[in-house]
Amino acid sequence: MAERKRWGMVIDLDRCTGCQACVVACQAENNIPLNTPDIVLQARSIQWIRVERYWSGIDENDPAKVKVGYLPVLCVHCTNAPCEPVCPVYAAYHNPEGLNVQVYNRCVGTRYCANNCPYHARYFNYWEREWPEPLNFQLNPDVTIRSKGIMEKCTFCVQRIRRAERRAKFEGRTVRDQEFTTACAQACPTGAIVFGNLADPSSLVSQLAKDARHYRLLEHLGTEPGVYHLKKVDPNYQGAEKSR
Ligand code: SF4
């Protein structure tokens, strides 16, 4: 693998079945707090990756015609990240590997970054979260638990990146393509999510990003996302009529 890094992801919508395994894996890997019903009702749940649903072919007289398309959305680690320049304390910054990083102990909770993120990918901790026993035993020791007043979002499982780099350094080599991946990609039963180094033209993620179906969310904003989606192929597609 090339030395230069630009970590990125490709999500194949033709493979996504909307099962939410990526969501559950992310919650467990990254110590994301429980989204209890009262928190969901207040629209203050935290979910670093979400699966949006788009419906087409809605016909009240023929429910069998209804089709659904799934769109997993997470922080796309923009190259030109709108969340970064608005942070007054530099808690949101860009690292040399293309990661949009959040420094938790620098964050003062202005939430400007969340307001400026066009992907709605940032989440604020309105409360001190708790994990009642025995759920506390499943907390990942490699991931910081965020406290009240702190902004958080997808890190591309940076703890896994660092672990792979440490192992490679110990063994006197560079990190190999696909020797590790993010929790969401690992849990996906259809292999819809692929993670890797976009700066390495031979990596799987780079190859997939060149697929004819590729596009990037809200690309017209000039954010240069590090996440590519591959369009779902449906020859009978009539256009999205309703989403929720
Ligand atoms: S998707 Fe949102 S949070 Fe992520 S880098 Fe872009 S602007 Fe920042």
Side-chain angles (χ1 to χ4, degrees):
M1 183 178 282
E3 279 304 297
R4 198 171 81 79
K5 305 264 176 52
R6 195 325 178 190
W7 297 112
M9 185 176 277
V10 170
I11 304 176
D12 189 341
L13 303 185
D14 233 354
R15 288 174 177 252
C16 179
T17 62
C19 72
Q20 309 260 354
C22 54
V23 176
V24 176
C26 176
Q27 304 280 118
E29 168 77 14
N30 293 298
N31 298 336
I32 296 175
L34 298 176
N35 291 319
T36 50
D38 57 319
I39 289 174
V40 173
L41 285 173
Q42 293 177 66
R44 289 181 172 175
S45 52
I46 296 180
Q47 207 177 339
W48 288 5
I49 181 170
R50 63 181 185 269
V51 182
E52 296 183 356
R53 291 176 292 181
Y54 294 89
W55 305 86
S56 62
I58 295 172
D59 182 345
E60 287 176 4
N61 300 318
D62 189 357
K65 284 186 179 169
V66 175
K67 289 187 176 172
V68 60
Y70 301 105
L71 179 68
V73 180
L74 65 165
C75 167
V76 295
H77 292 264
C78 311
T79 303
N80 306 318
C83 60
E84 292 170 8
V86 293
C87 179
V89 293
Y90 302 104
Y93 79 99
H94 225 73
N95 85 356
E97 301 165 28
L99 297 180
N100 169 252
V101 184
Q102 181 73 11
V103 184
Y104 299 132
N105 59 3
R106 203 181 277 170
C107 178
V108 294
T110 64
R111 288 173 277 157
Y112 295 159
C113 56
N115 290 334
N116 226 31
C117 170
Y119 302 93
H120 299 289
R122 289 181 159 265
Y123 299 89
F124 186 67
N125 284 277
Y126 284 91
W127 302 281
E128 210 68 66
R129 302 301 175 99
E130 293 173 357
W131 283 265
E133 274 196 45
L135 293 177
N136 56 327
F137 294 123
Q138 68 136 41
L139 291 172
N140 185 348
D142 290 339
V143 177
T144 307
I145 293 177
R146 287 74 64 187
S147 52
K148 177 182 172 185
I150 300 298
M151 187 62 68
E152 63 177 74
K153 58 160 209 85
C154 165
T155 64
F156 269 169
C157 286
V158 66
Q159 66 279 4
R160 293 185 175 214
I161 296 174
R162 295 292 173 257
R163 191 184 309 144
E165 287 172 342
R166 281 196 301 272
R167 190 187 313 125
K169 187 178 178 187
F170 180 73
E171 295 173 2
R173 58 176 176 81
T174 53
V175 177
R176 298 188 199 100
D177 186 33
Q178 298 303 301
E179 80 166 79
F180 78 101
T181 192
T182 56
C184 55
Q186 184 181 4
C188 179
T190 61
I193 304 176
V194 174
F195 179 77
N197 184 9
L198 287 167
D200 176 2
S202 64
S203 69
L204 179 60
V205 75
S206 288
Q207 297 296 317
L208 290 171
K210 291 183 205 143
D211 189 284
R213 293 182 291 130
H214 84 268
Y215 73 102
R216 292 186 290 180
L217 294 177
L218 302 178
E219 198 163 7
H220 62 282
L221 297 179
T223 52
E224 293 287 328
V227 175
Y228 291 76
H229 286 79
L230 305 185
K231 285 177 196 164
K232 187 176 179 68
V233 177
D234 182 353
N236 302 313
Y237 184 62
Q238 300 294 318
E241 291 165 14
K242 185 181 178 188
S243 69
R244 66 180 183 186

